[in-house]
Amino acid sequence: MSLKKFLRGQGYDLIDGPVRNHKPLQLWVKKLFDEIELYYANIDHAFISSVALNEITNDALSVNSSKKDDYSFNIGITLLEDILKSLGLAGFELSAKIKSGKKVTISYDNSLTKEYPVGELENYLSNADFRHHNPALLKNANRNNILIISGVVFAKNLVVEIETNFELTTELVAGWNKISEGKIDFAINNSSKLKMVTSGTGYFPIAVKANRIEFDKGTFRKLMLVTDNRNFF
């Protein structure tokens, strides 16, 4: 099953950018034609409300390595190196060692999903005021530039299969395992297929559910899910 399609069906977008610091209740700003960027680390830094927000764990949304996406070789290697860099695992020079191949398959394992119910968020914002006098925040709110992360899927393991068009050697794989110092486990699935599994102990974000905060002349109106083909994150 396609990981991207599965997540999109649950209202989530796979993170495919270099930034990987996403957390629930962050506010991001997306102006017309501009790159999206972190605006406030938590909604409470921008708003104050009498409504309490309660984080839940969505046990129904689970990601494992059976949900995966296939990429053409060069696209996949480029994307993989960006992901490794975002996880602090750069420096393995995969593109220098594996110069050609057929495809790259990327998936994740051991997931955890944290969410805030949209109804609670709308109730919070309906009863909210700005924490401080803030003309810039009001302008962005009235222009519907602000997104709130209402959910994040975290994973412990990145799982990758690289199908090369040459025969892999045990010496090459042993060298990578030595360089990785236990952070990545490299193995040969067959003579031309390399499997990589990161073995970090912490969770990292892999997908987000984002809602646009819609205001009208300073009054909150609604939240609008923005999961679509625009790839905000």
Side-chain angles (χ1 to χ4, degrees):
M1 176 185 291
S2 167
L3 176 59
K4 284 184 179 178
K5 289 182 179 179
F6 168 76
L7 289 170
R8 189 152 294 161
Q10 304 294 319
Y12 280 81
D13 271 320
L14 193 66
I15 299 171
D16 55 10
V19 178
R20 201 169 289 265
N21 62 350
H22 307 77
K23 296 178 182 178
L25 296 186
Q26 286 177 339
L27 298 182
W28 292 65
V29 63
K30 170 64 175 175
K31 300 177 183 178
L32 189 63
F33 305 122
D34 287 346
E35 294 289 333
I36 189 167
E37 61 183 40
L38 184 62
Y39 198 34
Y40 285 92
N42 189 282
I43 191 173
D44 284 340
H45 297 172
F47 296 91
I48 184 170
S49 175
S50 60
V51 176
L53 295 174
N54 301 289
E55 184 178 78
I56 62 173
T57 300
N58 184 353
D59 294 323
L61 178 50
S62 178
V63 171
N64 56 49
S65 57
S66 68
K67 301 174 180 68
K68 59 189 73 176
D69 290 315
D70 294 330
Y71 300 90
S72 299
F73 178 76
N74 286 317
I75 292 175
I77 290 293
T78 302
L79 179 59
L80 173 58
E81 290 187 334
D82 284 344
I83 294 172
L84 291 174
K85 184 177 180 180
S86 73
L87 297 179
L89 298 173
F92 297 107
E93 299 182 346
L94 290 172
S95 57
K97 300 292 184 180
I98 305 178
K99 297 181 180 295
S100 61
K102 298 178 181 179
K103 70 176 182 178
V104 177
T105 302
I106 297 177
S107 60
Y108 298 90
D109 210 350
N110 293 318
S111 73
L112 177 69
T113 302
K114 296 292 186 179
E115 295 180 341
Y116 285 83
V118 172
E120 280 192 10
L121 290 171
E122 289 186 327
N123 192 19
Y124 175 100
L125 288 164
S126 294
N127 291 276
D129 191 6
F130 291 167
R131 184 164 288 279
H132 307 288
H133 170 70
N134 196 328
L137 178 58
L138 179 61
K139 180 184 292 186
N140 280 315
N142 283 330
R143 293 180 178 178
N144 300 333
N145 290 334
I146 303 173
L147 306 179
I148 182 169
I149 295 182
S150 57
V152 179
V153 181
F154 300 91
K156 275 193 175 182
N157 306 107
L158 167 69
V159 182
V160 182
E161 290 186 347
I162 303 173
E163 189 173 345
T164 71
N165 55 12
F166 60 90
E167 187 170 340
L168 295 163
T169 66
T170 56
E171 291 79 11
L172 180 62
V173 173
W176 278 334
N177 278 322
K178 183 177 180 180
I179 293 172
S180 73
E181 297 179 338
K183 296 176 182 178
I184 305 176
D185 178 56
F186 294 89
I188 298 176
N189 266 9
N190 60 43
S191 61
S192 60
K193 185 177 289 186
L194 178 70
K195 185 172 183 178
M196 300 170 46
V197 181
T198 62
S199 54
T201 57
Y203 286 94
F204 55 89
I206 64 169
V208 297
K209 179 186 286 187
N211 298 80
R212 186 180 299 281
I213 302 176
E214 296 195 1
F215 268 74
D216 182 20
K217 297 180 175 64
T219 300
F220 170 73
R221 293 180 60 243
K222 62 180 179 179
L223 292 177
M224 181 66 69
L225 187 67
V226 298
T227 301
D228 57 18
N229 294 321
R230 287 174 288 180
N231 291 325
F232 282 98
F233 295 94

